[in-house]
Amino acid sequence: MTGCRSIALFAALLILGISAAPDAIGQGAVVQGVARAEEGGAPVQFALVRLVRADSSPLTADGPWQGMTNAEGRYRFDGVAPGRYRVQLQRIGFRPFLSDPVQVAAGETVQLDLRVPSAPLVLPPVTVKADVCVTKEKLKEHPQLQTLWQQARDGASVRTELMARFRYHVLTHEESYELKAEGPTPPGTIDQPYVSDPKWAVRNAARNREQRLSRGYYGPSNEFGDGFHVPNELDILHEDFLKTHCFVPAAVHGVGEVGLRFRPLGTRRDFLDILGTIWLDSATYLTRRIELEYVDGVESRGTHRLDFGDVAVAGGTLRMPVGGTFAMRPSRKNPARRTEGKVTVTYSGFEEVPRR
C-alpha cells in the first residue's frame, strides 16, 4: 500500500483523546459521596462533579475541584480547606444537580451522598432563517441548538476527564484499498497499537486541535506519509471549533437521533476544511456518529464516518469512538484515484493513574 493507507490509521489515532481528573494533593478535609439516581437508586456513572462554594461560586484553581464519579457513582475531593461547600453534578440524562450546603471542618471526612433526578430533555422550538449560520456568540438566540450543544458538550467533558485519569491500550485495525483508472488495488491491512497516557493525552489533543483549526485537515501524519486529519467529538464540541465554524439551524432528525450540522465560517485558500453533522442519540444525547465531508474551497475531497459505541471502562461503560469508514481523494491532480476502507478501534487495560 502507498502512503494513502495512513488516512484512516491516522484518523483513528487522532480519535483517541483521554485526560486527567482531579485527585487530591495536600493536607485538609475530605468531601466524598455516592451519586445515585433518584428513581431506582442506580449509581450515576462517569458524571462530572465540581466542588463549589456555598454561594455556588467556583473555587480558585489551586485545588482539584473538578472530577468525575466512578462506575459505582463514587466521588472524592481531598485537601479541602474548612468552609461551606456544595457539590455540582452534570450528566447527560439527568438534571443539573446542586447539593445543599455542607460545613467542612479541618481534617474531617464529610460524606455527602447525592440523589439525582433524571429528566427527559425537551428541545425548545426552532425558527428557521435562511442562510443563517450560528456562531458561538449567537447560540443563545437559538435555544434548540444551544441545548443540544450543551448536552453534547457534557458528554465530551466526561470523556476528557477520563483521558486525564486513565492509562489504557488502543488497537486500530485498518482495511483499505485504492481505486485507480485500471481498477482497485488488492486490499491491505494495518494494525497499530497505541497507549494513551494521562501525562500527555489531553495536552496532545489540545495541540492537535489547534493545528487542525489553523493549518487545515490534511498534512503530515506519521511514517506512512501525509493523511486526512479526522476530528472527534472532543474537537467539534470544543468552544475553539466555533471560532472557525458555525452550526446550521435547525437540528436534523433521524430514527432515534438528532443531528447538529456544522460548516466553516468562510473559505480559506489552500486550506482543507470540514463540514458535516454530529449525530446524537435522541434519548441520551450521547454521540452516535460524526459524518464529515472534506472540502477544498467548494471542491469535495472525500468523506469520513466516525462511529461511536459503549466501551467497558473500569466497571462501567463510556461512549467512545469505535471505528468508521472513509472514501478519500488524496490527490488533487488525479481525481480518479480514490482510497476507500474502514477502521475499527478496540480498547483494553484501563488503569487509573493517581494524580501527582
Side-chain angles (χ1 to χ4, degrees), residues 149-222:
W149 159 258
Q150 189 56 59
Q151 286 289 307
R153 277 173 58 84
D154 287 348
S157 296
V158 170
R159 194 161 83 86
T160 300
E161 287 293 331
L162 191 80
M163 287 167 54
R165 282 195 170 205
F166 284 84
R167 181 185 296 116
Y168 57 94
H169 296 265
V170 183
L171 178 64
T172 63
H173 174 76
E174 178 199 331
E175 300 176 8
S176 61
Y177 58 91
E178 288 188 60
L179 293 173
K180 300 182 178 179
E182 60 272 22
T185 63
T189 63
I190 297 177
D191 288 314
Q192 179 68 48
Y194 175 85
V195 177
S196 179
D197 194 296
K199 292 180 182 178
W200 42 258
V202 176
R203 183 173 63 250
N204 283 359
R207 184 178 65 249
N208 289 336
R209 178 173 55 250
E210 189 280 329
Q211 290 177 349
R212 291 191 285 271
L213 290 174
S214 61
R215 303 178 190 176
Y217 291 83
Y218 185 87
S221 57
N222 53 28

Side-chain angles (χ1 to χ4, degrees), residues 179-310:
L179 293 173
K180 300 182 178 179
E182 60 272 22
T185 63
T189 63
I190 297 177
D191 288 314
Q192 179 68 48
Y194 175 85
V195 177
S196 179
D197 194 296
K199 292 180 182 178
W200 42 258
V202 176
R203 183 173 63 250
N204 283 359
R207 184 178 65 249
N208 289 336
R209 178 173 55 250
E210 189 280 329
Q211 290 177 349
R212 291 191 285 271
L213 290 174
S214 61
R215 303 178 190 176
Y217 291 83
Y218 185 87
S221 57
N222 53 28
E223 67 270 22
F224 295 102
D226 289 352
F228 288 81
H229 300 277
V230 179
N232 56 32
E233 88 283 22
L234 306 183
D235 297 318
I236 294 172
L237 296 171
H238 195 278
E239 60 183 9
D240 287 348
F241 188 73
L242 290 185
K243 295 177 181 178
T244 57
H245 295 74
C246 57
F247 287 121
V248 182
V252 291
H253 293 265
V255 178
E257 59 187 10
V258 58
L260 275 168
R261 296 176 293 167
F262 56 87
R263 67 169 174 81
L265 282 171
T267 300
R268 287 182 271 183
R269 184 177 180 183
D270 297 324
F271 188 96
L272 190 69
D273 216 327
I274 57 169
L275 56 85
T277 305
I278 178 168
W279 290 93
L280 311 173
D281 187 287
S282 57
T284 64
Y285 293 92
L286 294 171
T287 305
R288 280 191 174 186
R289 68 185 182 281
I290 299 174
E291 295 173 347
L292 298 169
E293 181 178 4
Y294 291 82
V295 288
D296 191 351
V298 296
E299 179 186 7
S300 176
R301 292 280 300 281
T303 59
H304 192 111
R305 191 189 76 193
L306 179 59
D307 296 321
F308 289 71
D310 292 330

Side-chain angles (χ1 to χ4, degrees), residues 68-220:
M68 67 177 181
T69 61
N70 64 12
E72 298 174 341
R74 299 184 182 278
Y75 72 91
R76 179 184 173 103
F77 295 103
D78 296 297
V80 179
R84 284 175 61 79
Y85 299 95
R86 296 175 187 257
V87 172
Q88 292 178 337
L89 181 144
Q90 287 179 283
R91 180 69 163 90
I92 290 179
F94 293 87
R95 296 176 190 168
F97 181 85
L98 183 64
S99 74
D100 292 333
V102 61
Q103 183 69 42
V104 176
E108 76 169 331
T109 296
V110 175
Q111 184 75 17
L112 182 58
D113 294 334
L114 312 176
R115 298 290 287 190
V116 188
S118 60
L121 184 67
V122 178
L123 292 179
V126 63
T127 301
V128 180
K129 300 178 182 178
D131 300 323
V132 170
C133 202
V134 181
T135 61
K136 179 184 176 183
E137 293 73 22
K138 294 183 178 180
L139 266 178
K140 61 185 177 182
E141 301 173 15
H142 299 265
Q144 184 184 77
L145 291 183
Q146 186 177 41
T147 300
L148 287 174
W149 159 258
Q150 189 56 59
Q151 286 289 307
R153 277 173 58 84
D154 287 348
S157 296
V158 170
R159 194 161 83 86
T160 300
E161 287 293 331
L162 191 80
M163 287 167 54
R165 282 195 170 205
F166 284 84
R167 181 185 296 116
Y168 57 94
H169 296 265
V170 183
L171 178 64
T172 63
H173 174 76
E174 178 199 331
E175 300 176 8
S176 61
Y177 58 91
E178 288 188 60
L179 293 173
K180 300 182 178 179
E182 60 272 22
T185 63
T189 63
I190 297 177
D191 288 314
Q192 179 68 48
Y194 175 85
V195 177
S196 179
D197 194 296
K199 292 180 182 178
W200 42 258
V202 176
R203 183 173 63 250
N204 283 359
R207 184 178 65 249
N208 289 336
R209 178 173 55 250
E210 189 280 329
Q211 290 177 349
R212 291 191 285 271
L213 290 174
S214 61
R215 303 178 190 176
Y217 291 83
Y218 185 87

Side-chain angles (χ1 to χ4, degrees), residues 30-46:
V30 174
V31 176
Q32 64 181 21
V34 180
R36 297 187 179 278
E38 191 174 73
E39 302 83 3
V44 182
Q45 298 181 339
F46 302 131

